[in-house]
Amino acid sequence: MGTNEYKKDLEFLYVALLKHPSIIMDEKIKIKFETLYLSKCDVVCDYDSFIDAATALTVFFQDGHTNIELPYTTQDLCLRLRCCWSGADGNELILEEEYEDIPEHTRIISVEGMSIEDLTVALADRIPHENIYLVKSRMIRYPYQNYHLFSEMNLKRLFGAKENYTIAFVVDGNVIKKDIHLVSYDGFLEFIPDDDFLTYEIVGDVAIMHLKSCICNEEYKRTLRELAKVCNTQSISTLVLDLSD
């Protein structure tokens, strides 16, 4: 694609986002959004700059539903570190499983010298969110290369292109630095929904859909088609979405 095509794609996204409720309800927000779009449009020239600009437009709204998701493929690279958050304040990044000679439950304190706190702040500029807890979840749990802290895409953006990135761990009270090589993504972050992550029930003329996880897969599509048929054949006047789980 040439520069003009990327600019057209960004324009398409901009026009679509003008329908966001916050813009419809507030002219001042619309003006700020237009200013942001114009500033980004000037610098879009290739794929990377387009992704940066598109990300800025979606993060502008500060909600977790207006987003761009770039799912991993087996051709994409990452550091294969499965992590979780722990500690009294939930701010300690912990290995969930051992990595070579680094045991499980080891704390990670930095990547290329940048603290985990600063990395979280940096990812907050890439991950659409309502609060920092959503950023912290998405940066280690979601199988999207534009979210994942250890994707080649984010590591390259933060620290430049390398084959290895230095991770600092605390092992038995000592700081151990390890150069970790990029490897092909193997699905280790894939969503594994519960068997009943999407169900529905009919109560009188009300259809109630229970959704535990926001996962668009074949089961999700099949259930929606099935529910649509039920609503068309029965006297359903109201559809309720239950997100309580």
Side-chain angles (χ1 to χ4, degrees):
M1 289 175 57
T3 299
N4 288 338
E5 284 75 14
Y6 285 115
K7 289 183 180 295
K8 288 179 181 178
D9 284 346
L10 189 68
E11 181 183 11
F12 177 87
L13 177 63
Y14 166 70
V15 172
L17 291 175
L18 288 176
K19 300 176 183 178
H20 193 283
S22 63
I23 284 182
I24 294 174
M25 294 186 295
D26 193 328
E27 184 68 23
K28 291 181 180 179
I29 292 179
K30 181 178 180 180
I31 293 173
K32 289 181 180 179
F33 185 61
E34 180 182 19
T35 301
L36 173 64
Y37 163 68
L38 292 174
S39 69
K40 296 299 178 182
C41 191
D42 288 340
V43 298
V44 169
C45 60
D46 55 16
Y47 176 79
D48 288 343
S49 61
F50 167 72
I51 293 299
D52 288 342
T55 296
L57 294 189
T58 55
V59 172
F60 171 86
F61 296 100
Q62 296 183 322
D63 70 68
H65 299 280
T66 307
N67 50 30
I68 292 176
E69 299 166 351
L70 302 179
Y72 269 116
T73 72
T74 54
Q75 283 72 51
D76 297 313
L77 301 177
C78 67
L79 304 183
R80 198 189 187 288
L81 300 174
R82 190 190 298 274
C83 303
C84 64
W85 293 101
S86 187
D89 54 4
N91 289 328
E92 294 184 357
L93 189 61
I94 306 295
L95 275 182
E96 279 194 310
E97 57 186 36
E98 67 178 19
Y99 181 85
E100 297 182 353
D101 59 336
I102 305 296
E104 64 179 336
H105 308 313
T106 296
R107 181 162 62 97
I108 300 173
I109 59 173
S110 69
V111 178
E112 289 288 312
M114 182 180 288
S115 70
I116 300 304
E117 181 180 0
D118 288 343
L119 284 166
T120 303
V121 172
L123 267 293
D125 287 336
R126 297 290 279 186
I127 300 175
H129 62 281
E130 292 98 354
N131 55 64
I132 199 64
Y133 303 103
L134 185 55
V135 173
K136 290 168 67 176
S137 173
R138 290 181 169 181
M139 67 188 277
I140 62 170
R141 295 286 189 182
Y142 282 40
Y144 306 135
Q145 55 181 317
N146 57 322
Y147 288 7
H148 187 211
L149 167 60
F150 297 119
S151 71
E152 181 188 33
M153 172 180 281
N154 275 325
L155 293 170
K156 179 180 178 181
R157 181 178 65 88
L158 291 168
F159 307 113
K162 301 181 181 183
E163 293 185 357
N164 302 282
Y165 290 90
T166 303
I167 311 295
F169 304 88
V170 176
V171 180
D172 297 328
N174 299 312
V175 175
I176 304 296
K177 294 183 179 180
K178 188 177 183 67
D179 289 340
I180 299 182
H181 192 72
L182 290 168
V183 296
S184 297
Y185 177 73
D186 64 1
F188 77 105
L189 291 178
E190 289 290 1
F191 292 121
I192 303 177
D194 296 332
D195 292 338
D196 61 345
F197 85 98
L198 177 63
T199 59
Y200 68 87
E201 61 179 317
I202 306 299
V203 181
D205 63 347
V206 177
I208 305 173
M209 187 168 70
H210 305 280
L211 183 63
K212 293 182 179 180
S213 304
C214 294
I215 303 172
C216 184
N217 58 12
E218 291 306 313
E219 176 65 15
Y220 175 83
K221 296 174 185 178
R222 183 196 64 76
T223 304
L224 288 187
R225 287 193 293 266
E226 182 179 306
L227 179 56
K229 290 180 180 179
V230 171
C231 291
N232 285 334
T233 57
Q234 300 186 31
S235 299
I236 303 299
S237 63
T238 306
L239 175 63
V240 176
L241 178 60
D242 170 29
L243 302 175
S244 57
D245 288 331

